[in-house]
Amino acid sequence: MAINRSVGRSAVSVAEAHLARVAADGSSRHRYLNALLEGSGTNTARDIADSVHLLCGLHGSPPSLVELAHQIAEAGPARDWLARAAEGFERERLFLVRLTSAVGPLPSTPGAAETEAAMNAQRNALEILATSERRGCALGAAAALVGDWWPIRRLLDRAAARAGVDSPAPALPDEASVVAVIEAASDTMASERALGFGGEQLLLQHRGLFDLLEARAEARGDY
């Protein structure tokens, strides 16, 4: 089992470090996502629609980050897992695209040019992660996306319920498979570091997205 000794005072497995990273730094901890999940104000529908549109802007176009990672993966457990993950995320992507149409148009918001620039930068960052030649980086990003999608899926499910759209059953790999593939793929210190970097950067992009959504909601105000 690969061991990452840089996390805490005790030896922690790379998979445990990954799960802890997603739990501590993932979307579930972002105050704006939680506000969207719990909100019931007059602007809630508009803010949720805005979130769905921008999530689609980041993850709605094929090929997904997971598919890109699968395309460059070497034969072995990581490639096999990425194939399953890519298939599952494709279903999520199609749900997201269908939902984007159902929630109505993108809410009018000041700073459209700045939003587009930020989204372009985020899409470029995800593509770089997914196609990185550093062994473990793309897998780390894909595994973080799978783990961090669960709180995002809660938001999509809420948007679907409000729009009268049926939510498909979740199709992403479970946590046990994530642990198994990370442990199998993290067989050198270099791959451990690359995997951690990929995961950290994916979570950073998601936090940046919810920061942007929060700023857009504030810019709209009660307009």
Side-chain angles (χ1 to χ4, degrees):
M1 177 181 291
I3 297 294
N4 182 337
R5 299 183 181 276
S6 65
V7 181
R9 298 183 60 185
S10 303
V12 178
S13 78
V14 180
E16 289 170 338
H18 170 83
L19 296 179
R21 185 181 302 115
V22 172
D25 300 328
S27 299
S28 65
R29 300 293 295 273
H30 201 287
R31 65 180 184 180
Y32 187 64
L33 173 57
N34 288 303
L36 290 171
L37 291 172
E38 299 168 3
S40 58
T42 57
N43 295 327
T44 297
R46 182 184 64 184
D47 294 341
I48 290 177
D50 195 46
S51 301
V52 171
H53 275 276
L54 265 63
L55 280 164
C56 191
L58 188 60
H59 290 297
S61 298
S64 70
L65 179 151
V66 187
E67 177 57 33
L68 287 173
H70 171 246
Q71 290 174 4
I72 67 167
E74 300 176 355
R79 181 176 176 81
D80 294 342
W81 182 86
L82 284 166
R84 297 193 300 272
E87 181 180 353
F89 196 78
E90 178 63 9
R91 298 178 189 175
E92 296 293 313
R93 188 190 70 78
L94 292 174
F95 171 45
L96 176 58
V97 170
R98 181 163 57 95
L99 186 57
T100 302
S101 176
V103 297
L106 179 70
S108 178
T109 307
E114 291 82 357
T115 293
E116 184 60 29
M119 295 299 295
N120 286 336
Q122 288 202 312
R123 285 190 292 264
N124 184 60
L126 293 188
E127 183 175 352
I128 291 172
L129 287 173
T131 58
S132 173
E133 295 180 355
R134 292 179 61 189
R135 181 170 175 267
C137 181
L139 175 62
L145 174 57
V146 167
D148 203 42
W149 195 254
W150 295 108
I152 292 174
R153 177 59 190 268
R154 289 181 60 204
L155 174 61
L156 299 185
D157 287 342
R158 185 172 193 208
R162 296 179 69 97
V165 174
D166 292 334
S167 294
L172 293 176
D174 60 18
E175 186 175 282
S177 76
V178 173
V179 169
V181 73
I182 288 176
E183 293 294 345
S186 303
D187 52 3
T188 67
M189 290 298 295
S191 63
E192 291 178 21
R193 288 192 295 269
L195 190 146
F197 176 80
E200 289 168 358
Q201 292 301 306
L202 182 283
L203 297 173
L204 177 65
Q205 297 306 318
H206 278 184
R207 292 198 304 275
L209 178 66
F210 284 105
D211 286 344
L212 175 60
L213 287 165
E214 185 173 28
R216 283 172 59 83
E218 292 173 353
R220 287 190 296 271
D222 293 326
Y223 173 73

